[in-house]
């Protein structure tokens, strides 16, 4: 559940990029709309100024001849397109009391009229469905009773073409600007978060046991955090060292009383001596178990990666000699390249207990194999002994539980293995061996994480 939640949470860099992208998604289109609106208004105003100058020229050129009661255009508007039929460039003059005048380009068509003393600009359709920009106004001549309505129209195509070109240039530029800004923000975010990446790499090296502190050559805000983390690491390291020292002192303090008790037990009768020795063995195994657990719980998460072959060589060699004396064959297959982040003594304790248990119960063969698996190392110890029925395998992992009393032992070996493996977030299971006996399988991760402690100070296993 925790890992899935962590995968679903985006990184800080991704959060910043998404926020920047959302901001640009809102601001760039808004800026484009505003710029396009202002450009459209500016171009339309310039276009209308052109129309206004044409209609003012038309007003100045129209005269009324009182004798014939006819309107006349005294001088042309100065553009040959007014003379080309249906060119889109049109003018007309209309009066209720006199004949109307119009440009040759209108032929026998007419434009809609709007009688207003001030110029009125509008869009409309001309002959043959042409899209026109039209301006109209009304004026009065001294010789006429009614007003004259003058109209000038030119095609909108030039205006629309300018707007289309601007829109294409505008949106192309804004999209390019957005891409450049996003790229620049990505570079800025990467550069700005570089100290965090360095801090994360240092923490990973501490976790892998490659160094004992994180670097403090960071920006002020992060350097204070790094120093605080180093202080916590140093305090925990001191506590671990004190705990290991106390565990060693305890082991040394108990060694002499146990030796004395063993010596005193030799003077007891046979039955009593056997019982006392059995309880002393249980006491010795319990002490070793709790000391090993304390050492693993304290040192976990800051251990260096150790060579599996070199670490286990003394254990395998010693138990191989014991197996030979019992007429057994112990075969070990340990690739030289395999390494695991586990305290060397803890690894020896785990594998030593499994091999010792296998040698104790095997008939002729003990097979020990180590192999690399996904995100970890697998250790498998198989024997051809009587094995353990599937229904009672869980009982065999209980501390002090012995399923067979015929051979000496404390019943703590498999329980120690299970608790040590759990402290390193590994897995331990018992299964049927291919040789007919018991197969003990341990999987240890490459990078174990420290386990949280409960309110009684005990480390929780998985």
């Amino acid at each position: 559940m925790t890992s899935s939640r962590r995968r679903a949470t985006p990184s800080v860099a991704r959060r910043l990029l998404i926020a920047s992208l959302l901001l640009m998604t809102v601001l760039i289109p808004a800026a484009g709309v505003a710029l396009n609106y202002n450009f459209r208004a500016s171009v339309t105003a310039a276009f209308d100024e052109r129309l206004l100058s044409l209609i003012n020229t038309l007003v100045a050129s129209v005269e009324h001849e009182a004798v014939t009661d006819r309107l006349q255009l005294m001088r042309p508007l100065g553009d040959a397109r007014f003379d080309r039929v249906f060119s889109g460039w049109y003018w007309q003059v209309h009066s209720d009391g006199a004949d109307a005048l119009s440009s040759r380009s209108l032929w026998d068509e007419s434009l809609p009229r709007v009688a207003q003393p001030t110029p009125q600009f509008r869009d409309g359709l001309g002959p043959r469905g042409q899209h026109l920009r039209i301006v109209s106004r009304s004026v009065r001549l001294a010789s006429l009773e009614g007003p004259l309505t003058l109209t000038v129209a030119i095609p909108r195509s030039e205006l629309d073409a300018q707007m289309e070109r601007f829109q294409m240039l505008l949106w192309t530029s804004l999209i390019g600007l957005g891409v450049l800004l996003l790229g620049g923000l990505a570079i800025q975010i990467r550069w700005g978060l570089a100290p965090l990446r360095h801090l994360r790499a240092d923490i990973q090296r501490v976790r892998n046991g490659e160094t004992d502190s994180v670097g403090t050559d960071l920006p002020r805000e992060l350097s204070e955090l790094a120093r605080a983390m180093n202080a916590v690491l140093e305090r925990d390291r001191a506590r671990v060292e004190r705990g290991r020292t106390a565990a060693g002192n305890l082991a040394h303090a108990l060694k002499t009383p146990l030796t004395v008790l063993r010596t005193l037990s030799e003077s007891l009768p046979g039955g009593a001596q056997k019982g006392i020795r059995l309880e002393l063995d249980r006491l010795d195994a319990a002490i070793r178990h709790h000391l090993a657990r304390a050492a693993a719980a304290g040192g976990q998460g800051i251990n260096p990666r150790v060579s599996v072959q070199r670490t286990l060589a003394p254990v395998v060699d010693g138990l191989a000699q014991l197996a030979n004396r019992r007429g057994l064959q112990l075969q070990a297959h340990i690739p030289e390249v395999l390494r695991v982040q586990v305290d060397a003594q803890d690894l020896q304790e785990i594998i030593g207990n499994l091999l010792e248990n296998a040698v104790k119960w095997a008939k002729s063969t003990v097979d020990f194999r180590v192999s690399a698996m996904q995100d970890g190392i697998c250790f498998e110890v198989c024997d051809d002994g009587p094995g353990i029925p599937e229904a009672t395998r869980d009982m065999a992992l209980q501390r002090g539980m012995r399923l067979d009393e015929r051979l000496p032992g404390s019943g703590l070996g498999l329980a120690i293995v299970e608790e040590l493996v759990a402290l390193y977030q590994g897995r331990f299971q018992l299964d049927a061996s291919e040789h007919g006996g018991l197969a003990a399988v341990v999987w240890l991760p490459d990078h174990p994480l420290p386990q949280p402690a409960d309110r009684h100070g005990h480390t929780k296993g998985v």
Side-chain angles (χ1 to χ4, degrees), residues 248-280:
N249 293 336
L250 177 61
H252 182 74
L254 293 175
K255 181 178 180 180
T256 300
L258 285 175
T259 303
V260 172
L261 289 175
R262 289 182 187 277
T263 303
L264 293 176
S265 66
E266 295 177 358
S267 61
L268 297 176
Q273 181 180 356
K274 181 179 179 181
I276 291 295
R277 284 186 175 275
L278 178 60
E279 295 305 321
L280 288 175

Side-chain angles (χ1 to χ4, degrees), residues 289-305:
H289 160 64
H290 288 291
L291 291 177
R293 179 178 180 180
Q300 154 175 233
I302 56 175
N303 298 301
R305 296 171 66 84

